[in-house]
Amino acid sequence: MSRICMIGTGYVGLVSGACLADFGHEVWCVDINETRIAELKNNVMPIYEPGLDTLVQKNVDGGRLFFTTSLAKAMEQTDVLFIAVQTPMSDAGDADLKFVRSVAEDIGRMMKRYYVVVTKSTVPVGTSRLVRESILSTQSEPIDFDLASNPEFLREGSSIEDFMRPDRVVIGTDTERAAEIMREIYQPLYLLETPIVNCEIETAELIKYASNAFLAVKISYINEIAKLADRVGANVSMVSKAMGLDKRIGPKFLHAGLGFGGSCLPKDTNAIVHIARKAGADMSIVRAAIDVNAGLPAIALEKLRRMLPDLKGTTGALLGLSFKPNTDDIRDAPSRAIVTMLQEAGVTLRVHDPVAMDNFRELHPDLTYCENAYDTVEGADFCLLLTEWNEYRHLDMLRLCDLMKQKVMMDCRNVYDRARLAEFGFSYDSFGRPADPERTA
Ligand code: NAD
């Protein structure tokens, strides 16, 4: 059994902490957000993540999972310190490391014996040097410690399964002592024969960015193919299905639509561009993926305008605000750009999301937040399907016809069938599945 301190109880820290406790380790989760810790002590989850409350309760009851705002107290009880704080995009587009630096300085100040300090946050290559320097800068007398990098690959919405059964675990270390301690922590996954990639710290840091940038490129690639499909009269859904059947390509991340958002891909693609620039290299493919992605909300609105040329004074219904289903995360969600653009066009907005409305309301208090999809479309001139939550997949079209002022739907996630909606008299469009190809030739 290892004794672990998880610093930061957000999407990554809380899920990782609960899962590591479920592996049988003793885990102390620390956060500077007092409300968050007070709520967690009452088993109130600060984020929406399926199954998390049950897992947390089980491990709290089992005496393996603890919550505190006191890093000093957690450090007394533990031997391995995981840093899982946020690394948001700075105004310049690179990763803002102020939260990581601040934690490292706190660790340095409170260090009285040997620890392994593990960076789980996604950080630029070379950040371990910054962590080492920050710890050393605050130590009154030098105390031995080791560093490790253990980037996280979980996906919001399925993060518990992703942590428990990962495709691989990446562990970067530069001493055998730290490598052994990390091996012990992930022992249950060794037993499941999970591939464990042991490497240098810098390599582990780059693996995370290289993986996320590749996924972003894959999404933008299929979205470019969707643009082409729109022009030549092909169906991108069939194209991606057939492409995905090729084992060299694989089916994941080939779903055309409104593009990538959330707390990882937008910031990590920008960060790798900056990391490369600093190192004298150019990530031209990743830059292109960012540009394609940034243009998608405008394309959605252009398509809407083709069905409804004068948007000024209309009422729009937006279904889905989170950047993908099964999460309440709205960081860099495409819905945010869409809301701004529609408001600028003079549209009154009625919106709904199963779990992300509280987060969205903080940023956009001026929208009408509705009870459910049917409430949202009432009196609307058009409906924009922005997130493919299951509850929007089988809407009762007769009810929609009754409730909407005009039957116009822009399906930004390619959920519905054009022919079926036509039967109900809808004007309908999606990405890359044209009825009338806009042939340029
Ligand atoms: P988050 O914003 O949800 O959570 C960060 C938490 O850290 C917050 O609760 C905050 O209060 C806390 N914190 C900040 N400073 C602190 C301090 N000094 N002491 C204690 N707690 C402190 O962030 P997240 O989404 O969990 O992401 C964390 C890191 O993991 C980021 O680097 C991110 O890129 C990476 N990551 C995220 C995901 C994801 O799906 N969200 C997946 C893989 C990797």
Side-chain angles (χ1 to χ4, degrees):
M1 191 261 291
S2 307
R3 302 191 312 159
I4 296 165
C5 170
M6 187 64 66
I7 306 165
T9 57
Y11 290 89
V12 164
L14 182 54
V15 171
S16 306
C19 290
L20 288 171
D22 212 58
F23 284 177
H25 303 306
E26 180 177 323
V27 181
W28 284 74
C29 286
V30 183
D31 208 292
I32 45 171
N33 184 330
E34 291 178 6
T35 317
R36 183 162 278 216
I37 291 297
E39 285 179 352
L40 280 165
K41 283 182 173 170
N42 289 318
N43 200 34
V44 175
M45 296 300 109
I47 53 168
Y48 174 80
E49 188 61 40
L52 186 59
D53 47 357
T54 313
L55 188 74
V56 166
Q57 189 67 60
K58 176 184 162 202
N59 286 285
V60 168
D61 291 347
R64 294 180 295 273
L65 185 58
F66 305 89
F67 297 105
T68 178
T69 50
S70 167
L71 178 61
K73 185 172 169 192
M75 282 177 67
E76 271 172 29
Q77 309 295 329
T78 56
D79 311 305
V80 185
L81 314 175
F82 278 77
I83 302 176
V85 297
Q86 64 271 48
T87 49
M89 185 159 41
S90 75
D91 291 341
D94 55 355
D96 185 344
L97 294 174
K98 68 169 179 274
F99 298 97
V100 172
R101 189 182 295 113
S102 157
V103 169
E105 287 169 0
D106 287 347
I107 290 173
R109 271 191 288 274
M110 293 168 199
M111 195 177 262
K112 296 199 176 82
R113 58 183 162 84
Y114 174 86
Y115 290 93
V116 180
V117 180
V118 187
T119 306
K120 194 161 242 335
S121 300
T122 303
V123 294
V125 185
T127 299
S128 65
R129 254 196 317 277
L130 172 110
V131 171
R132 182 177 294 285
E133 281 160 16
S134 303
I135 293 175
L136 289 173
S137 73
T138 50
Q139 282 181 339
S140 38
E141 56 186 71
I143 298 165
D144 188 25
F145 65 93
D146 279 319
L147 296 175
S149 167
N150 174 216
E152 185 48 59
F153 298 94
L154 60 75
R155 295 161 303 170
E156 289 171 20
S158 56
S159 60
I160 295 173
E161 178 68 12
D162 289 346
F163 194 95
M164 297 287 199
R165 295 179 195 283
D167 291 341
R168 78 308 206 182
V169 172
V170 174
I171 299 175
T173 47
D174 50 14
T175 66
E176 187 41 44
R177 187 176 182 187
E180 183 53 38
I181 288 169
M182 294 302 288
R183 251 196 301 279
E184 170 74 22
I185 290 175
Y186 282 103
Q187 191 59 24
L189 295 184
Y190 279 88
L191 298 177
L192 288 177
E193 297 190 4
T194 305
I196 311 276
V197 179
N198 291 296
C199 54
E200 309 80 34
I201 291 177
E202 287 74 13
T203 306
E205 289 168 341
L206 186 54
I207 287 170
K208 174 65 190 177
Y209 281 110
S211 303
N212 271 5
F214 186 80
L215 294 174
V217 167
K218 212 172 165 191
I219 294 172
S220 282
Y221 181 77
I222 201 64
N223 282 327
E224 280 227 297
I225 296 293
K227 271 195 246 175
L228 181 58
D230 267 329
R231 289 181 178 264
V232 300
N235 182 339
V236 76
S237 300
M238 295 307 289
V239 174
S240 49
K241 184 175 176 191
M243 281 176 69
L245 288 168
D246 185 328
K247 291 193 180 63
R248 294 169 303 176
I249 298 174
K252 305 269 177 68
F253 284 72
L254 276 185
H255 190 75
L258 204 45
F260 58 82
S263 65
C264 291
L265 297 191
K267 83 174 170 59
D268 293 349
T269 43
N270 277 287
I272 197 173
V273 167
H274 273 78
I275 294 166
R277 197 170 291 150
K278 254 172 122 177
D282 182 19
M283 292 275 122
S284 57
I285 295 175
V286 182
R287 281 195 288 109
I290 295 169
D291 287 348
V292 168
N293 200 60
L296 293 169
I299 293 177
L301 258 57
E302 202 181 297
K303 282 170 173 281
L304 176 65
R305 277 206 174 90
R306 252 177 254 144
M307 296 185 279
L308 201 61
D310 193 6
L311 290 177
K312 198 168 172 15
T314 61
T315 298
L318 305 190
L319 299 183
L321 300 170
S322 57
F323 81 97
K324 67 172 184 178
N326 289 324
T327 181
D328 60 352
D329 199 343
I330 56 159
R331 290 177 280 187
D332 273 315
S335 57
R336 295 183 52 190
I338 296 265
V339 162
T340 305
M341 290 160 91
L342 285 172
Q343 285 185 320
E344 281 168 9
V347 178
T348 302
L349 290 173
R350 299 171 63 77
V351 303
H352 177 257
D353 187 283
V355 298
M357 288 203 284
D358 287 346
N359 287 342
F360 213 81
R361 198 182 276 114
E362 281 177 24
L363 299 170
H364 297 278
D366 49 341
L367 311 177
T368 303
Y369 290 84
C370 301
E371 288 287 307
N372 54 43
Y374 300 107
D375 179 21
T376 315
V377 300
E378 195 168 348
D381 295 282
F382 65 87
C383 171
L384 236 62
L385 178 50
L386 298 181
T387 315
E388 64 277 34
W389 283 93
N390 276 343
E391 68 179 74
Y392 303 147
R393 284 182 180 275
H394 303 285
L395 294 173
D396 177 346
M397 286 301 152
L398 279 177
R399 251 180 109 182
L400 251 62
C401 290
D402 275 353
L403 290 166
M404 291 182 75
K405 196 150 84 185
Q406 301 195 61
K407 292 186 270 183
V408 175
M409 182 187 283
M410 176 60 213
D411 175 2
C412 297
R413 297 296 177 183
N414 289 4
V415 167
Y416 281 94
D417 178 52
R418 177 187 296 278
R420 194 171 129 67
L421 265 82
E423 283 170 21
F424 289 94
F426 267 87
S427 298
Y428 171 91
D429 206 353
S430 58
F431 282 95
R433 305 182 307 164
D436 307 309
E438 304 152 27
R439 290 176 192 279
T440 47

